């Protein structure tokens, strides 16, 4: 036994997360915590290891499918019955009753489960194990200690651990036995707003009686929002029921007197006082807290505190200034978390300074929002690509005090940089840029092969400089902007003159030189090689690992099929989903990812489909061009309008394809870096520095530099990074994040769509109806002709699927992001930025995508 005041947060292995936090709370000056003691995890281990049947049940639980609820329910129930049926050894029972005697044997107690994987910064496990209130007498308390042990294996706790990758054998249970508070009111205090994430707003939920009425959802609570020492908002609920302690033990639900139901459970002054206590607790633990409290005899008692694990982290800064951050992931079509090596390499090679939080990258947009001219420019640029990000930024800016607006520079002072001179519409410019890029990458491949150890790190820093030089080439940026500006001009002017919506979508069909659309068409050519060989097709249907190419060559037609796939990988094998993260497995490393798309192409297309599709798109664009020019000439001033439009059509078709090339350049370089870094990691594994090669992914590049010099690594740091990455994976990043922790995703301010329609951003015109295929992993694709792909986001690696679908819906995206560009190239109606599309649209439903007007109708 350990008294709570003997415990602190370093003793989780002994007293569990809840016990450790309660012990730490009891040590904070001025924080009132009811007294009590902990039955340590040693007692639990002693009970469990004494029952051989438990080991067998643990084996079965570890092998169970986390989605097989029936199996988990059955095994969990057997485990609980087994543990509750074990008699406590006499010495253990005596130790518990002795502790009770010291704290008051006849008092009422709360008996609380406290697991070692509970109330952690990365996984709260809130509500996963059991708590018993108002337990009286040694016999009842001993019985409820056993019940708490057994609650480690509730169905919800087992499932939670399985889904969070936590081994059941590594988790042990302590039990907190704590003096019971019989409160007038109780509830929850969040030291950060749990809805908006705002760290400066504390939220108090309050009700009458015990807090169980709120936790169980029996009543709606009163809600107080407290900021800077005052209540800034309150909602007083009609509290019809309350839970109270019974004199003989246990609890009872009662009806609240009608005259009292709508009275506040707390005064404003009490809510402010409680928030002040919360700030002291938060300061001690160093992160926002979810705190259970009771109010008895006009004094607060704190009965629990745990980290709030659902808040998105805030970038660290060295000042207290207000800041506004814009998500890089939403622009790069990769909102998943990145591992530390991926984050650091991207930051070292990016054109703009970036910060990180929650395993994602952010750009600090604060400075650009401080003057009228730069604010307008940023909002216009962001709004063209993603109206939701613009709306989120405007929501922050509506609060005039968060980012104060300063005057523009003096009229006579020239703007920094200045606008570059326009470039001619000359395809040779694009050719030269690509040739320069290819030569630079060839040099990189040649030179990196001789480097290892510290010399490799030094070489890579020089390579990153070259990387940024190529990316920031003013001519390259001019070409990209020329294509985008021509697109905007055509859409704006042809809508103004002809009433045409998104005319550039058709005018850019099969534009030359788009390396991403070429990648999708090239996989159709691979299918052409494979289709005539039924044994190859049958073999590919059963591929389960990435070593299949050697086996493939042994079949009739296999050598040709293997050569076609290898040739494709030589050109595009550096690509993969989430490719901005250097640590993600590339197609060259995991070629089985491509097999479903190849088989879909074999099934859904005939020979020569790639050339045929490209030619059909080119002819449709030509036809659209002639139609537009003819109609323009019939207008007043039509010859001038037609002449200007023709120049813009030529310009967009010359330059728009290059829009995809810089990303191809980046990913090509990342793969070269990765291969060299993995080779270096292999050397460190052979030297006994790293346990496994991919541990290198959990070091930043700068840390890896030091490891290559010292041949030493901090294993605890690697473990912490792995745990943090798992926790980040459960978070959804917002489009905009403030230094207060507020998360904003924006909204579409539209009333021109049918009731029930899902609203998004129109990025590729046309209307299509078909079966929705909700696919989150390209390797799981199984598409039929006419299907509509619904997914969270698409980066260039998804392009091979685009040739076989009829339409596209994504949760993330903008007008000029890769999915939108390729959808227009292939003539696919597409709507992106559809909030929660993969949840609101079910796989197999029939939907209609309105790509011109930006909404989706669910038909069945």
């Amino acid at each position: 036994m350990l008294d709570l005041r003997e415990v602190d947060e370093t003793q989780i292995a002994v007293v569990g997360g809840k016990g450790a936090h309660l012990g730490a709370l009891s040590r904070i000056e001025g924080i009132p915590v009811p007294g009590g003691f902990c039955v340590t995890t040693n007692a639990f281990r002693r009970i469990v290891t004494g029952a051989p049947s438990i080991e067998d049940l643990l084996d079965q639980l570890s092998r169970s499918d986390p989605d097989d609820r029936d199996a988990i329910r059955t095994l969990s129930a057997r485990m609980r019955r087994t543990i509750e049926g074990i008699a406590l050894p006499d010495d253990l029972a005596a130790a518990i009753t002795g502790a009770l005697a010291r704290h008051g044997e006849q008092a009422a107690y709360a008996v609380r489960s406290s697991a070692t994987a509970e109330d952690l910064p990365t996984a709260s496990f809130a509500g996963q194990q059991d708590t018993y209130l108002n337990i009286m007498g040694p016999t009842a308390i001993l019985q409820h200690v056993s019940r708490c042990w057994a609650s480690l294996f509730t169905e919800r706790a087992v499932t939670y651990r399985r889904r969070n990758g936590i081994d059941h054998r590594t988790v042990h249970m302590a039990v907190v036995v704590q003096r019971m508070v019989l409160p007038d009111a109780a509830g929850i205090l969040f030291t950060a707003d749990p809805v908006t994430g705002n760290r400066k707003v504390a939220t108090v939920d309050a009700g009458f009686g015990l807090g169980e009425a709120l936790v169980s959802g029996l009543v709606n609570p009163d809600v107080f929002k407290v900021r800077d020492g005052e209540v800034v908002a309150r909602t007083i609920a009609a509290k019809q029921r309350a839970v109270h302690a019974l004199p003989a033990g246990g609890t009872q639900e009662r009806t609240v007197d009608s005259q009292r139901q709508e009275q506040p459970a707390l005064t404003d002054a009490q809510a402010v006082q409680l928030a002040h206590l919360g700030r002291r607790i938060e300061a001690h633990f160093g992160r926002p807290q979810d705190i259970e409290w009771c109010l008895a005899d006009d004094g607060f008692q704190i009965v629990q505190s745990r980290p709030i694990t659902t808040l998105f982290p805030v970038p660290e800064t060295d000042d207290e200034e207000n800041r506004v951050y814009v998500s890089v992931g939403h622009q790069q079509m990769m909102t998943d978390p990145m591992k530390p090596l991926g984050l650091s390499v991207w930051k070292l090679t990016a054109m703009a300074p970036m910060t990180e939080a929650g395993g994602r990258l952010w750009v600090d947009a604060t400075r650009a929002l401080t003057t009228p001219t730069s604010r307008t420019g940023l909002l216009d640029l962001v709004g063209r690509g993603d109206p939701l990000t613009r709306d989120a930024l405007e929501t922050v800016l509506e609060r005039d005090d968060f980012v104060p607006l300063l005057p523009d520079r003096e009229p006579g002072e020239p703007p920094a940089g200045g606008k570059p001179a326009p470039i001619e519409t000359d395809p040779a410019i694009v050719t030269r840029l690509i040739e320069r890029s290819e030569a630079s990458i060839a040099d990189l491949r040649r030179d990196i092969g001789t480097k290892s150890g510290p010399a490799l790190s030094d070489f890579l820093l020089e390579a990153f400089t070259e990387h940024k030089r190529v990316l920031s080439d003013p001519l390259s940026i001019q070409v990209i902007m020329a294509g985008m500006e021509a697109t905007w001009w055509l859409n704006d002017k042809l809508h103004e003159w002809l009433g045409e919506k998104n005319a550039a979508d058709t005018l850019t069909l099969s534009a030359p030189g788009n390396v991403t659309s070429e990648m999708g068409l090239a996989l159709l050519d691979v299918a052409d090689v494979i289709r005539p060989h039924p044994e190859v097709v049958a073999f590919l249907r059963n591929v389960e690992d990435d070593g299949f190419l050697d086996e493939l060559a042994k079949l009739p037609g296999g050598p040709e099929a293997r050569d076609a796939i290898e040739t494709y990988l030589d050109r595009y094998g550096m690509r993969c989903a989430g490719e901005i993260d250097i640590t993600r497995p590339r197609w060259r490393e995991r070629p089985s990812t491509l097999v479903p798309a190849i088989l879909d192409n074999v099934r859904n297309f005939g020979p020569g489909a790639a050339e045929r599709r490209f030619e059909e798109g080119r002819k449709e664009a030509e036809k659209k061009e002639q139609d537009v020019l003819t109609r323009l000439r019939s207008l007043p001033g039509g010859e001038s309008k037609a002449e200007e439009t023709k120049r813009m059509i030529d310009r967009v078709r010359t330059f728009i394809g290059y829009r995809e090339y810089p990303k191809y350049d980046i990913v090509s370089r990342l793969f070269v870096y990765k291969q060299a870094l993995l080779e270096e990691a292999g050397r460190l594994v052979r030297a006994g520095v790293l346990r496994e090669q991919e541990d290198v992914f959990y070091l930043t590049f700068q840390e890896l530099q030091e490891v290559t010099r010292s041949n030493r690594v901090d294993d605890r740091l690697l473990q912490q990074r792995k745990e943090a990455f798992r926790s980040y994976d459960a978070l959804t990043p917002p489009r905009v994040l403030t230094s207060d922790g507020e998360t904003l995703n924006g909204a579409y301010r539209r009333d021109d769509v049918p009731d029930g329609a899902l609203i998004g951003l129109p990025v590729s015109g046309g209307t299509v109806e078909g079966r929705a295929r909700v696919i989150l992993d390209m390797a799981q694709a199984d598409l039929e002709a006419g299907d509509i792909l619904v997914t969270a986001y698409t980066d260039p690696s998804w392009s091979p699927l685009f040739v076989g679908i009829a339409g596209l819906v994504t949760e993330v995206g903008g007008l000029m992001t890769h999915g939108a560009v390729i959808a227009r190239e292939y003539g696919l109606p597409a709507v992106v930025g559809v909030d929660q599309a993969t949840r609101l649209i079910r796989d197999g439903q029939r939907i209609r995508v309105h790509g011109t007007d930006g909404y989706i109708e669910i038909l069945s």
Side-chain angles (χ1 to χ4, degrees):
M1 302 302 112
L2 285 174
D3 191 276
L4 276 180
R5 287 173 174 77
E6 299 177 277
V7 172
D8 63 29
E9 58 262 55
T10 67
Q11 294 171 275
I12 289 175
V14 178
V15 297
K18 190 172 291 160
H21 276 78
L22 277 169
L25 280 169
S26 67
R27 290 163 170 251
I28 304 173
E29 186 176 351
I31 302 299
V33 178
F37 61 91
C38 294
V39 183
T40 69
T41 55
N42 292 330
F44 171 78
R45 277 194 290 268
R46 182 176 167 190
I47 293 294
V48 171
T49 55
S53 59
I54 289 178
E55 188 65 27
D56 179 56
L57 288 170
L58 281 170
D59 285 338
Q60 294 180 58
L61 277 174
S62 297
R63 294 193 301 268
S64 63
D65 182 342
D67 295 320
D68 187 346
R69 298 186 62 179
D70 290 337
I72 288 178
R73 185 180 301 115
T74 301
L75 289 168
S76 299
R78 285 175 59 193
M79 181 69 87
R80 292 195 303 276
R81 285 196 302 271
T82 301
I83 292 173
E84 288 185 35
I86 299 172
L88 269 66
D90 291 344
D91 61 331
L92 180 56
I96 294 172
T97 54
L100 284 172
R102 290 191 295 275
H103 285 274
E105 189 172 290
Q106 300 308 311
Y109 287 86
V111 184
R112 304 174 182 273
S113 305
S114 181
T116 53
E118 179 179 53
D119 294 350
L120 306 178
T122 56
S124 77
F125 279 72
Q128 302 303 309
Q129 282 85 224
D130 290 342
T131 287
Y132 301 96
L133 299 178
N134 204 35
I135 308 303
M136 302 177 72
T139 300
I141 286 172
L142 290 173
Q143 179 185 29
H144 284 86
V145 166
S146 291
R147 288 184 178 177
C148 284
W149 286 336
S151 75
L152 187 64
F153 297 99
T154 61
E155 179 187 347
R156 62 186 180 273
V158 168
T159 301
Y160 191 94
R161 286 196 295 273
R162 292 284 282 117
R163 288 181 174 165
N164 281 273
I166 298 172
D167 186 345
H168 301 301
R169 287 181 173 81
T170 65
V171 183
H172 304 292
M173 181 69 84
V175 180
V176 174
V177 182
Q178 188 177 23
R179 285 290 292 258
M180 187 73 189
V181 178
L182 305 180
D184 302 313
I188 309 293
L189 162 66
F190 299 96
T191 63
D193 190 312
V195 177
T196 68
N198 195 319
R199 306 311 202 262
K200 293 187 177 178
V201 176
T203 301
V204 178
D205 289 1
F208 296 126
L210 293 167
E212 295 306 293
L214 303 186
V215 174
S216 64
L218 182 64
V219 296
N220 291 325
D222 297 341
V223 180
F224 300 83
K225 304 275 188 184
V226 181
R227 178 167 184 153
D228 297 331
E230 65 176 309
V231 174
V232 294
R234 75 179 64 72
T235 302
I236 307 303
K239 300 169 288 298
Q240 298 176 343
R241 312 288 292 171
V243 174
H244 290 277
L246 295 172
T251 60
Q252 183 182 61
E253 180 186 323
R254 295 178 186 167
T255 301
V256 177
D257 184 276
S258 59
Q259 293 182 338
R260 194 175 178 226
Q261 287 177 5
E262 296 192 19
Q263 291 180 2
L266 295 177
T267 65
D268 282 7
Q270 287 171 327
V272 170
Q273 180 190 355
L274 185 57
H276 178 69
L277 291 174
R279 292 295 177 214
R280 295 178 69 174
I281 295 169
E282 179 185 70
H284 176 84
F285 289 115
R287 58 180 57 89
Q289 297 288 299
D290 165 357
I291 298 166
E292 297 176 26
W293 57 269
C294 297
L295 177 65
D297 301 324
D298 293 326
F300 286 107
Q301 295 279 327
I302 304 301
V303 296
Q304 187 50 270
S305 183
R306 62 177 66 88
I308 307 176
T309 59
T310 56
L311 296 175
F312 201 89
V314 178
E316 294 182 5
T317 61
D318 55 6
D319 58 44
E320 297 295 319
E321 298 295 320
N322 288 346
R323 297 181 186 275
V324 181
Y325 302 98
V326 175
S327 165
V328 173
H330 284 81
Q331 311 305 313
Q332 290 292 336
M333 298 299 95
M334 213 293 274
T335 55
D336 294 344
M338 297 168 67
K339 295 186 177 77
L341 185 63
L343 289 166
S344 61
V345 169
W346 191 265
K347 287 170 68 177
L348 286 166
T349 54
M351 292 167 60
M354 294 178 185
T355 186
E356 59 190 78
R360 279 84 170 181
L361 291 166
W362 305 86
V363 170
D364 186 345
T366 316
R367 185 175 180 185
L369 295 170
T370 55
T371 65
T373 300
S374 60
R375 177 180 291 191
T376 300
L378 177 63
L379 291 176
D380 286 347
L381 181 64
V382 167
R384 280 189 178 275
D386 181 9
L388 289 177
T389 299
R390 174 174 182 145
D391 185 79
L393 287 171
E394 287 177 333
T395 300
V396 176
L397 297 175
E398 285 170 4
R399 304 162 196 155
D400 294 336
D401 59 337
F402 196 81
V403 182
L405 197 59
L406 305 174
D408 276 322
R409 280 185 287 264
E410 293 296 323
E413 186 181 345
K419 191 168 183 177
I423 57 173
E424 295 181 17
T425 304
D426 182 0
I429 296 174
V430 174
T431 303
R432 285 200 305 274
L433 285 169
I434 292 173
E435 287 173 349
R436 282 178 0 202
S437 165
E438 290 175 343
S440 175
I441 293 171
D443 290 345
L444 172 66
R445 287 197 182 100
R446 182 194 66 232
D447 296 340
I448 203 170
T450 60
K451 305 297 189 294
S452 66
L456 173 62
S457 300
D458 295 341
F459 174 84
L460 282 171
L461 287 175
E462 294 177 8
F464 296 162
T465 300
E466 168 68 3
H467 183 130
K468 289 200 284 189
R469 186 196 66 76
V470 172
L471 278 185
S472 59
D473 184 335
L475 185 60
S476 177
I477 295 169
Q478 280 182 278
V479 168
I480 293 170
M481 291 308 300
M484 293 170 65
E485 288 167 355
T487 301
W488 297 335
W489 189 96
L490 287 167
N491 282 336
D492 291 347
K493 290 298 184 181
L494 295 180
H495 185 259
E496 176 188 341
W497 293 337
L498 299 177
E500 286 265 1
K501 284 187 177 180
N502 302 326
D505 293 357
T506 306
L507 293 167
T508 54
L509 287 172
S510 297
N514 187 316
V515 69
T516 307
S517 62
E518 289 168 358
M519 177 173 67
L521 296 174
L523 205 62
L524 287 172
D525 292 335
V526 174
D528 284 353
V529 175
I530 290 170
R531 192 179 294 106
H533 305 291
E535 289 184 58
V536 171
V537 174
F539 171 82
L540 290 176
R541 288 193 184 115
N542 295 300
V543 164
E544 293 183 354
D545 61 54
D546 295 305
F548 69 93
L549 288 171
D550 290 338
E551 290 299 313
L552 179 63
K554 300 173 184 177
L555 301 172
E560 297 91 334
R562 183 188 62 182
D563 289 349
I565 295 173
E566 287 282 7
T567 299
Y568 186 87
L569 290 172
D570 287 343
R571 173 73 166 144
Y572 303 111
M574 79 294 288
R575 310 221 81 147
C576 68
E579 59 192 10
I580 70 170
D581 183 354
I582 194 175
T583 72
R584 290 290 190 104
R586 310 283 141 175
W587 290 344
R588 171 54 78 185
E589 298 167 310
R590 196 170 290 176
S592 60
T593 305
L594 292 170
V595 170
I598 293 171
L599 291 173
D600 285 347
N601 289 347
V602 168
R603 182 176 63 248
N604 296 331
F605 295 94
E611 185 177 352
R612 190 165 54 251
R613 282 184 63 118
F614 187 83
E615 188 60 21
E616 286 171 356
R618 190 185 63 78
K619 287 180 177 177
E620 191 173 346
E622 283 184 357
K623 181 181 176 183
K624 183 68 174 179
E625 177 181 330
Q626 293 307 313
D627 172 66
V628 164
L629 295 177
T630 299
R631 290 162 61 197
L632 285 173
R633 290 187 182 105
S634 68
L635 299 176
E639 281 301 329
S640 174
K641 289 184 173 75
E643 184 178 332
E644 194 172 4
T645 299
K646 171 60 176 168
R647 283 201 304 272
M648 284 298 177
I649 292 172
D650 291 345
R651 193 165 180 81
V652 79
R653 291 191 66 81
T654 297
F655 292 136
I656 199 65
Y658 182 77
R659 166 71 178 81
E660 293 292 294
Y661 196 84
K663 185 71 170 287
Y664 179 82
D665 177 288
I666 291 169
V667 176
S668 297
R669 293 173 190 275
L670 286 179
F671 191 37
V672 177
Y673 306 154
K674 181 182 183 182
Q675 289 173 306
L677 288 168
L678 281 178
E679 191 170 325
E680 181 65 15
R683 183 189 71 79
L684 292 169
V685 170
R686 292 189 296 274
V689 179
L690 295 177
R691 286 194 174 90
E692 52 190 63
Q693 205 174 29
E694 293 192 357
D695 280 351
V696 74
F697 296 159
Y698 295 94
L699 297 170
T700 67
F701 181 80
Q702 295 84 350
E703 289 165 347
L704 178 58
Q705 278 185 289
E706 181 55 34
V707 169
T708 61
R709 290 185 171 92
S710 67
N711 279 323
R712 289 196 305 271
V713 72
D714 185 344
D715 289 329
R716 289 174 302 175
L717 175 67
L718 291 176
Q719 188 57 38
Q720 289 168 3
R721 293 277 175 77
K722 291 175 183 179
E723 291 171 0
F725 180 76
R726 281 197 295 268
S727 73
Y728 296 152
D729 203 26
L731 300 175
T732 300
R735 284 175 167 81
V736 171
L737 177 67
T738 73
S739 51
D740 284 356
E742 189 174 6
T743 59
L744 301 103
N745 277 298
Y748 294 106
R749 315 290 176 175
R750 295 179 59 184
D751 55 10
D752 59 342
V753 298
D755 290 343
L758 306 181
I759 303 173
L761 177 66
V763 296
S764 185
T767 301
V768 66
E769 184 178 315
R771 179 180 68 157
R773 292 308 319 274
V774 180
I775 298 172
L776 300 179
D777 181 353
M778 180 181 163
Q780 305 301 317
D782 181 14
L783 296 164
E784 299 286 349
D787 283 349
I788 297 169
L789 174 62
V790 180
T791 190
Y793 60 81
T794 64
D795 58 14
S797 72
W798 287 73
S799 301
L801 298 187
F802 283 26
V803 298
I805 59 176
L808 174 69
V809 178
T810 70
E811 294 179 341
V812 176
L815 189 62
M816 296 307 295
T817 49
H818 303 280
V821 171
I822 304 307
R824 292 193 290 271
E825 284 272 330
Y826 289 166
L828 302 174
V831 181
V832 302
V834 182
D835 189 37
Q836 300 188 64
T838 59
R839 300 178 191 176
L840 298 174
I841 299 172
R842 295 195 307 275
D843 187 53
Q845 278 187 312
R846 195 156 190 83
I847 63 174
R848 184 181 296 129
V849 177
H850 296 262
T852 304
D853 295 314
Y855 65 92
I856 297 98
E857 293 179 280
I858 298 177
L859 305 178
S860 66

